[in-house]
Amino acid sequence: QVPPEESGGLSVQSGGSLRLSCAVSADIYNNLHYMGWLRQGPGKEREGVAVTDTAASSIYATSVKGRFTVSLDKAKNTLYLQMDRLTPEDTATYFCAADASLTWFYQPKARPVFRGQETQVTVSS
């Protein structure tokens, strides 16, 4: 199966907003329960940012809770990550992922079954 595809690199000033999108086929969200976003900042360990499931339940990293929103639009086969009130600490390479478990979300070295293309997000101060 083809992994989900992502948008290109994005830049924004601190306090701004961005929305990441990731094409996710029906096969992915029907067969893999959890879909979400990971990021890895320069010199940092990979971090689970946000994850949702087909019941629309969501989990967020403490660092982004209240600022980021993950959502799945089944009509468009697209997973989104709305990022508001961005700070330079949000600068990282982001990618979407999907799996039948949440191991990939909590364990930095775990590999999700599906992984999207990387998107570089740069937040300037």
Side-chain angles (χ1 to χ4, degrees):
Q1 290 185 337
V2 178
E5 300 177 350
E6 279 188 51
S7 48
L10 302 168
S11 298
V12 68
Q13 289 191 327
S14 184
S17 297
L18 289 172
R19 187 175 75 164
L20 302 182
S21 60
C22 176
V24 181
S25 72
D27 281 345
I28 291 175
Y29 62 72
N30 284 330
N31 294 312
L32 301 177
H33 194 54
Y34 299 104
M35 296 146 289
W37 297 87
L38 300 166
R39 71 182 181 185
Q40 188 161 17
K44 297 181 180 179
E45 200 168 51
R46 194 188 78 189
E47 174 187 26
V49 176
V51 60
T52 188
D53 61 21
T54 49
S57 298
S58 300
I59 301 171
Y60 294 92
T62 301
S63 59
V64 306
K65 194 173 296 183
R67 300 189 298 121
F68 290 13
T69 304
V70 60
S71 61
L72 172 66
D73 187 333
K74 292 184 179 180
K76 296 183 179 180
N77 285 350
T78 302
L79 183 72
Y80 296 103
L81 183 67
Q82 177 66 41
M83 305 185 292
D84 298 320
R85 303 195 303 280
L86 285 159
T87 73
E89 288 67 37
D90 296 314
T91 294
T93 298
Y94 288 73
F95 58 96
C96 64
D99 202 309
S101 76
L102 282 172
T103 303
W104 58 276
F105 187 75
Y106 292 110
Q107 296 184 11
K109 297 191 184 301
R111 295 183 177 184
V113 172
F114 287 106
R115 171 177 172 156
Q117 295 179 9
E118 298 176 351
T119 299
Q120 176 63 41
V121 172
T122 303
V123 184
S124 57
S125 57

